[in-house]
Amino acid sequence: LRNVLQLEEIAQMLAAPAHTLGLVFVLGVRAKALTNQNTPLSRAFMEQCRALLINADPAHLAHAPAEFAGVCGKYLALAMEAGVPLHAVRPLICAALALQPAPTHFTPVHPMALLACILAKCYQAAAPLLEQ
């Protein structure tokens, strides 16, 4: 738990897009340590993930796509546990588009974004992902 608190401090010092790669790895480790969405640590994790997913630098993501997808998966899982899949729609769409190497490619984040759209009943929000 002590190390998780240190990672919390490190994550607060980093900001996307300049520190996208560092945030991906720090939040990836924190994601593995989170078990419950009702703690201050999980709420801070959700806020930091949201900022990362919306502002991620695609050039950085190319170096750690699997780790980024893991962070996205934890973000979606926590949003679903909290009963607010709507909060995950925009960040996951931005993340899918940032991770996408070309408009014709699907990434591991695309199904997560589409699932968030379906669970939130925001079907139109999925259009940019499906029209490519």
Side-chain angles (χ1 to χ4, degrees):
L1 181 61
R2 186 177 65 112
N3 292 338
V4 172
L5 294 175
Q6 289 174 343
L7 288 175
E8 166 72 19
E9 293 172 11
I10 292 169
Q12 289 177 357
M13 289 185 252
L14 302 175
H19 304 110
T20 296
L21 191 57
L23 271 171
V24 166
F25 284 106
V26 169
L27 292 176
V29 171
R30 287 185 57 210
K32 293 175 185 169
L34 289 176
T35 57
N36 186 343
Q37 56 91 15
N38 274 334
T39 64
L41 283 177
S42 63
R43 287 189 290 276
F45 174 83
M46 291 287 289
E47 290 171 16
Q48 291 164 345
C49 274
R50 180 177 176 78
L52 170 65
L53 301 183
I54 291 172
N55 301 306
D57 182 348
H60 290 207
L61 296 180
H63 298 289
E67 291 80 2
F68 184 65
V71 170
C72 292
K74 185 64 171 187
Y75 181 78
L76 177 59
L78 289 173
M80 288 173 24
E81 281 181 32
V84 289
L86 181 60
H87 292 179
V89 171
R90 179 173 172 244
L92 287 173
I93 289 173
C94 291
L97 294 174
L99 188 58
Q100 195 173 32
T104 57
H105 288 70
F106 280 107
T107 70
V109 181
H110 277 76
M112 295 176 209
L114 295 172
L115 178 60
C117 291
I118 291 168
L119 293 174
K121 299 180 181 171
C122 294
Y123 310 113
Q124 267 313 98
L129 295 177
L130 298 174
E131 290 174 349
Q132 297 182 2

